[in-house]
Amino acid sequence: MAVLEALFGSTPDAPAWGLSICRQADLGPGTVYPILDRLLERGWVRSWDEEDAHPGRPARRFYEFTGAGRHQAREALEARAARRARFSLRPTGGAA
């Protein structure tokens, strides 16, 4: 879910790239890149390589939602929010 939230935070002028997603999601690359691969396989995101050369670092791979992926991701995040709200409304403790 944190990866989806990081992708929602990107814009066409400032697209998300792998390590930026890791930082925003507070997850390591061993977790984030497999998630991105699954999202690519399912058609939720598309990716492309940075075109301009930047000395001193490898080219970045950018990621953004597809139209269908944005819709699916929004539904997933809304469903999670609804589950969390439902659990936070449950009474706790016993009778006094």
Side-chain angles (χ1 to χ4, degrees), residues 27-96:
L27 298 168
T31 300
V32 170
Y33 285 105
I35 292 169
L36 291 170
D37 287 341
R38 287 193 301 273
L39 293 173
L40 281 163
E41 289 171 5
R42 287 169 176 78
W44 284 32
V45 298
R46 71 177 195 96
S47 69
W48 69 97
D49 290 325
E50 186 175 39
E51 294 177 10
D52 298 329
H54 289 275
R57 68 166 172 79
R60 292 175 174 159
R61 175 160 288 236
F62 295 110
Y63 297 87
E64 72 179 3
F65 284 117
T66 61
R70 180 173 295 279
H71 176 74
Q72 295 289 348
R74 186 169 286 123
E75 284 185 352
L77 290 172
E78 287 172 357
R80 181 186 68 165
R83 282 191 306 275
R84 284 185 170 182
R86 190 171 62 239
F87 286 117
S88 68
L89 296 177
R90 287 186 179 174
T92 58

Side-chain angles (χ1 to χ4, degrees), residues 9-33:
S10 67
T11 65
D13 293 338
W17 68 92
L19 289 178
S20 74
I21 296 169
C22 292
R23 285 187 211 116
Q24 290 175 1
D26 196 27
L27 298 168
T31 300
V32 170
Y33 285 105

